[in-house]
Every structure is written in C-alpha cells, then in structure tokens.
Amino acid sequence: MSDLDATTPRVFLARHGETEWTKNGRYTGKTELDLTPDGVRQVTSTAAQFVGHRKLIDPAHVARVWVSPRKRTRQTFRCLFDCSDVSIADNKVTFTEDITEWDYGDYEGLLVGEIRAGRVERGLDKERGWNIWRDGCEGGDSAQQVTGRLDRLIAEIRDIQRPYMNGEKPVDVVVVAHGLILRCFVKRWLGYPLDMPLTLMLSPGGIGILSYKNRDIDEPALFIGISIPPLED
C-alpha cells in the first residue's frame, strides 16, 4: 500500500502570504497587517496550481477548514478558495484563536536580534540564549499555552478523520495560519515537544502536508514529498 494514497485523510497547512513585516523579519502576532501585492500573488499562484477539482486540494474532499482570525489569514483563505471551481460551504469553515500566531507579547514587531539584546540588557539569559520554543515571550504565550491550544485542535481533527482512515469518504482538512504556529503544529502533530530541535521551513503562501502512515490514526506523519494528481484529460 502506498503512503501517498490520497484516500488516507490529510491535513493541508497553508501559510498566509507575504506582509510588510514578513519581508523584514519582524515578529507578527496580533498586529493586523494586509497581504502585500506580492503576498496576494503568492497565494493566488498556489491556488491556481493546487486548489480545485482533481487538484491536490480538492474542495469537494475537504471536510473542514480552520482559519486564524487575523486579517492576513482571512485574506489568504479567500485567495485560496475564491479561485476554485468548487466552493467551500460556510458551515465547514471555522475561524479560531486556537490556530492564531504565537502571541509575542512584548516582542511584537521586533527583530530576533532586538529581542535577544533587550533580554541581555535586563539581565536575562545569563546561562543560555533565548529560545522561543523553550522560553516563550514576555507578556505573551508560553510554550505550554501554545501546546495546549494546538493539542485541542489536533484532537478535534483526529476525531473527524478517525472513522475514515480507509477512504470510506474524503475527510481532508485545511488549516490556514501563520509561519511559526504552523511549525509548532507539525511538531505537536508528530507528538514532539515544541523545544525539540526540528528545523522546518514553510514559504509565505506555501502548502505543507500531514497525514498518517499505514492508514493508522496512531501513526501521524509528515510528507517530505508527494506526487501531484494528474491533470484531467
């Protein structure tokens, strides 16, 4: 049995397109930013190639969509599915804070170098350097808080997909969110703590894919490559 069998339920991770702060590396949590024109093009290009009838993300096969309620992710959701030839019913779409970006608290809008320098000035990190996966953010989310909300969402997804592991009906899921929280999502999907070293990348407007090995709900997996469905004749 192929691990690429599309009848096994999948979770598609969609990162929002570029914003001005994405371009310059500023930590963007609750700040409301629009997609740049390039960000819109990133998402619409992804949608044109991968979303639609008999494409990688076939809306007819999607059971649920979870979207972060930030403006940039709402825009991304619309760009992904408005171009599709099959629409997503409103009752399948949930906007939830469970998948919003890590709350950066006092670090909102800062660069990594500025955060680290500020912590040193305040007498922090004397024994080891700051690591968001382990230390969280002053005035914002801790790793434990992020883990809790992601685990809650993952449990809901698995409850939906568990009865259909052998393709009884299509129950793919789409999660539209942010760069850091989606990398956190991957770690928790695989059962890893957030501070486990696992370097992951997901481009703005990009799509990542999770599923299950051997059609087993207890073997969650990360696709490192996937074949693209053939174009319709």
Side-chain angles (χ1 to χ4, degrees):
M1 180 186 301
S2 171
D3 286 337
L4 295 180
D5 188 345
T7 61
T8 303
R10 296 167 295 180
V11 179
F12 296 103
L13 307 179
R15 183 183 177 187
H16 68 74
E18 176 192 83
T19 69
E20 286 298 329
W21 283 12
T22 306
K23 288 168 60 176
N24 57 35
R26 297 192 178 278
Y27 273 51
T28 319
K30 293 182 176 179
T31 302
E32 294 288 20
L33 296 173
D34 289 312
L35 301 183
T36 64
D38 281 343
V40 172
R41 284 190 286 270
Q42 288 167 342
V43 180
T44 54
S45 176
T46 295
Q49 296 179 64
F50 296 130
V51 181
H53 178 59
R54 294 194 63 183
K55 294 183 179 180
L56 181 65
I57 304 176
D58 188 334
H61 295 167
V62 173
R64 290 286 299 278
V65 181
W66 279 273
V67 185
S68 162
R70 300 288 84 81
K71 182 187 293 186
R72 57 198 183 275
T73 39
R74 287 176 177 268
Q75 287 179 300
T76 297
F77 166 69
R78 290 195 298 272
C79 288
L80 279 175
F81 290 104
D82 282 355
C83 299
S84 171
D85 49 8
V86 183
S87 62
I88 294 285
D90 289 344
N91 63 1
K92 291 185 177 181
V93 181
T94 301
F95 296 91
T96 174
E97 293 286 340
D98 281 351
I99 198 61
T100 198
E101 185 58 293
W102 197 306
D103 184 347
Y104 297 123
D106 299 345
Y107 305 157
E108 183 79 2
L110 300 181
L111 303 173
V112 172
E114 295 171 335
I115 296 169
R116 289 179 173 154
R119 288 177 63 92
V120 170
E121 288 175 3
R122 296 191 301 280
L124 303 173
D125 306 330
K126 292 181 179 179
E127 297 183 359
R128 59 185 181 183
W130 174 70
N131 181 321
I132 190 171
W133 306 97
R134 178 189 64 235
D135 304 320
C137 298
E138 295 175 276
D141 277 337
S142 67
Q144 292 74 22
Q145 288 171 311
V146 171
T147 295
R149 57 186 169 96
L150 291 181
D151 285 358
R152 181 167 56 241
L153 178 56
I154 288 170
E156 189 172 353
I157 291 171
R158 290 194 178 144
D159 284 345
I160 291 170
Q161 296 182 330
R162 182 177 287 105
Y164 308 107
M165 298 302 292
N166 293 301
E168 292 86 350
K169 77 172 186 178
V171 284
D172 286 340
V173 160
V174 181
V175 177
V176 185
H178 313 263
L180 185 62
I181 203 69
L182 287 174
R183 285 178 279 158
C184 294
F185 187 99
V186 171
K187 289 186 177 184
R188 293 309 302 152
W189 181 263
L190 299 173
Y192 299 151
L194 295 190
D195 62 353
M196 175 184 172
L198 181 65
T199 303
L200 300 166
M201 299 174 68
L202 182 58
S203 299
I207 301 291
I209 309 171
L210 302 170
S211 188
Y212 307 89
K213 185 175 174 61
N214 299 321
R215 295 184 177 181
D216 188 340
I217 195 77
D218 295 320
E219 293 190 61
L222 166 67
F223 275 119
I224 60 172
I226 187 168
S227 57
I228 302 301
L231 294 175
E232 190 171 6
D233 294 334

